[in-house]
Amino acid sequence: QLQLVESGGGLVQPGGSLRLSCAAPGNTLDYYAIGWFRQAPGKEREGVSCITSSGGSTKYADSVKERFTISRNNAKNTVDLQMASLKPEDTAVYYCAAVYQPECPPVTIETMSLLPNYGMDYWGKGTLVTVSS
């Protein structure tokens, strides 16, 4: 069983930045495609971004494109989500998830919600990001 742990959430003002990290204590993430998802209060969980196991390809939801950047830090065995120009509507619990395959699910981020478990096998417990003044 792959354990995933998110960190980096917190309170940030609109327009601010925050970096989230996804770690797998005791396991390597090298062989997994990794996705970031979020669930805002009262809303369904949605895909945010995904990165291939090699880090060679990424996907973003339209709502975060040009503001968020997903990347792999192989030295630290983490997958990070750098969030910039944060908006109140970015407020959500952010989850990382993993699937044991090189590629992200072959669908758009927006349609990952139609897949069983969003096409992912393992999930972290989430970290809360609150964007508010």
Side-chain angles (χ1 to χ4, degrees):
Q1 181 75 25
L2 181 68
Q3 303 290 324
L4 298 176
V5 180
E6 304 94 340
S7 63
L11 176 64
V12 63
Q13 294 185 346
S17 298
L18 210 58
R19 180 183 288 269
L20 306 182
S21 291
C22 177
N27 289 281
T28 179
L29 292 176
D30 289 353
Y31 310 120
Y32 296 84
I34 303 294
W36 281 97
F37 301 80
R38 67 186 183 186
Q39 188 163 17
K43 295 190 175 182
E44 297 296 314
R45 190 169 300 186
E46 64 178 352
V48 175
S49 186
C50 190
I51 189 167
T52 60
S53 64
S54 69
S57 184
T58 59
K59 299 178 180 179
Y60 299 93
D62 287 344
S63 60
V64 307
K65 193 168 295 185
E66 310 301 332
R67 298 190 299 118
F68 291 12
T69 301
I70 190 171
S71 63
R72 307 190 75 109
N73 188 328
N74 292 336
K76 296 176 63 176
N77 191 37
T78 65
V79 174
D80 300 334
L81 185 70
Q82 177 65 51
M83 305 183 294
S85 302
L86 284 163
K87 307 172 181 179
E89 49 263 47
D90 294 318
T91 295
V93 176
Y94 283 72
Y95 302 86
C96 69
V99 58
Y100 191 70
Q101 63 187 40
E103 304 297 323
C104 294
V107 299
T108 65
I109 290 291
E110 288 78 9
T111 55
M112 289 179 72
S113 62
L114 302 178
L115 301 173
N117 298 312
Y118 299 82
M120 298 291 172
D121 294 326
Y122 307 99
W123 292 81
K125 292 181 170 60
T127 185
L128 177 62
V129 172
T130 302
V131 184
S132 176
S133 60

